[in-house]
Amino acid sequence: MPSPPSSASLPPTPRGATPPALPPPRQIWRQTRRRLNLAVEDLRRAVIERCEDHPDRTRVVVALDEAIVDLEQLIDAFDGPLFELLDAADAASDRDVREDVLRRLGQYVTEGRQEFARDELVELMDDNGFLDLELRSGLDGALADLARRMGVPAASDTPSERR
C-alpha cells in the first residue's frame, strides 16, 4: 500500500467538543479506526495484566507495542489514498470524471479488503490469545459499508464473507 500523505489525517477533536459532522464514508472509516484503537488498547491492558508475573513481561509488552505501531502504520497507509479518492469524488463536477473516480475508489476499497484479509499482522493481532479483536472482519465490514454508501462495487470475495 502507498505511504500515507500527512495532510489526509483528520485532526483530533478536543475533549468535550463535538466532532465536526463528517460525510458518511469518512464517518464510517473514522469510527472503525476508533473501535480498532480501543480494541488494541484493551488488548495491551489484558497482556500487561495477565503477564504481570511473567519473566519475559517486558519483552512481550515491547513486542506488542511494536506490533501496534506497525498496525497503525498499515492502516495509516490506507487512509491517505482513501481520503484523496473520497475528496476527488466529492469535488468532481463532471459526471465522467466522478464515475472514473468512483471506479478507482471501488478498486482501491477492493484491494484494501483483500490486503487486510491476507495481512499477517492483522491475522497475528486477531489470533493474539488474549482477546477477540475481530480486526479483519471489522476492517472488511467497514470497507464494504463505505463502498455501498458511495455506490461503488467492491469485491465481496473476502474471507470474512466466505465463512
Side-chain angles (χ1 to χ4, degrees):
M1 283 186 218
S3 61
S6 59
S7 62
S9 299
L10 295 171
T13 303
R15 257 183 199 224
T18 303
L22 298 173
R26 286 171 183 75
Q27 194 172 35
I28 291 166
W29 192 246
R30 190 169 188 177
Q31 288 170 348
T32 299
R33 290 289 308 257
R34 177 140 175 78
R35 280 192 304 273
L36 295 178
N37 287 340
L38 291 172
V40 168
E41 287 173 18
D42 289 345
L43 171 62
R44 188 174 191 285
R45 277 192 295 278
V47 168
I48 289 171
E49 182 180 302
R50 281 171 118 191
C51 294
E52 188 173 330
D53 296 326
H54 194 280
D56 290 330
R57 177 180 184 250
T58 301
R59 265 192 11 207
V60 169
V61 172
V62 167
L64 176 60
D65 287 343
E66 289 172 357
I68 291 169
V69 167
D70 290 346
L71 179 67
E72 289 172 353
Q73 289 174 343
L74 174 72
I75 297 172
D76 286 346
F78 184 79
D79 283 1
L82 174 66
F83 287 128
E84 287 174 8
L85 286 166
L86 291 171
D87 289 344
D90 288 345
S93 56
D94 180 77
R95 190 177 127 216
D96 292 337
V97 172
R98 180 171 170 77
E99 285 178 10
D100 180 59
V101 171
L102 290 176
R103 179 191 54 74
R104 289 186 288 137
L105 176 64
Q107 280 180 306
Y108 189 70
V109 167
T110 296
E111 291 167 7
R113 292 177 75 192
Q114 292 167 351
E115 177 74 21
F116 291 131
R118 69 176 175 259
D119 188 86
E120 291 178 13
L121 179 59
V122 174
E123 181 179 0
L124 176 69
M125 295 295 279
D126 267 350
D127 298 337
N128 64 69
F130 290 89
L131 293 176
D132 187 13
L133 296 183
E134 299 181 357
L135 296 178
R136 180 176 288 143
S137 62
L139 289 164
D140 185 66
L143 289 173
D145 190 21
L146 188 147
R148 274 190 301 276
R149 292 205 189 203
M150 290 299 294
V152 298
S156 62
D157 190 25
T158 61
S160 65
E161 291 185 11
R162 282 185 283 196
R163 288 182 202 165

